[in-house]
Amino acid sequence: MLRIVEVHRNPDTQNEYIVLQNHGALKIGLKGHMIANEDAICAGSHDNTFAFSDEVQIPASCYVLLITGRGTNGWHRDPDSKPVYCVFLNRQESIWTKEQGPIHLLNVVHTSLPRSEGLLVSR
């Protein structure tokens, strides 16, 4: 289960980030998880929301770093040489400094995929 462990608001986009950690015992898929501020939840605004689209598995206890600034998504190492998956929003202005309210992490509960014809049973 991914959880927000730190929100670092900063007017400098390269230093504004949200840290998530997989608190579960198993790997978890990142794709489909979403970050949203209080306005997005209460007022239906979509300005400060982000949905992860990377098809990557996050191992137990590993971190995901969502950075507002520019960069290339992928695995990097933290100062202690532990793997961290970094996702960059590639924005020129900060987005989390404008509102000091809560930031929510929405997770994937279920994904419906079309069934292949080979799985259908005909009678």
Side-chain angles (χ1 to χ4, degrees):
M1 159 195 312
L2 282 178
R3 291 191 177 178
I4 297 173
V5 293
E6 182 181 356
V7 176
H8 189 262
R9 293 174 167 97
N10 195 306
D12 176 11
T13 59
Q14 291 304 115
N15 291 313
E16 180 177 66
Y17 55 84
I18 297 174
V19 181
L20 309 173
Q21 184 181 22
N22 181 356
H23 279 247
L26 304 173
K27 290 181 182 180
I28 188 165
L30 185 61
K31 184 177 182 176
H33 286 81
M34 187 173 183
I35 297 283
N37 70 358
E38 189 72 3
D39 283 345
I41 301 295
C42 295
S45 167
H46 301 290
D47 293 339
N48 293 343
T49 61
F50 175 75
F52 291 95
S53 61
D54 294 9
E55 289 273 359
V56 64
Q57 296 290 311
I58 306 300
S61 329
C62 280
Y63 293 93
V64 175
L65 190 62
L66 177 62
I67 303 166
T68 306
R70 299 196 177 280
T72 304
N73 296 0
W75 288 101
H76 298 273
R77 296 266 178 201
D78 72 3
D80 296 329
S81 295
K82 295 179 182 172
V84 176
Y85 192 77
C86 295
V87 178
F88 294 87
L89 298 178
N90 292 314
R91 301 207 26 171
Q92 294 187 19
E93 62 182 52
S94 68
I95 52 176
W96 310 115
T97 56
K98 296 175 186 170
E99 179 177 330
Q100 296 301 310
I103 295 176
H104 305 279
L105 174 64
L106 293 81
N107 69 345
V108 179
V109 175
H110 174 73
T111 301
S112 176
L113 298 172
R115 293 185 180 190
S116 68
E117 290 184 29
L119 294 177
L120 297 177
V121 177
S122 60
R123 292 182 183 217

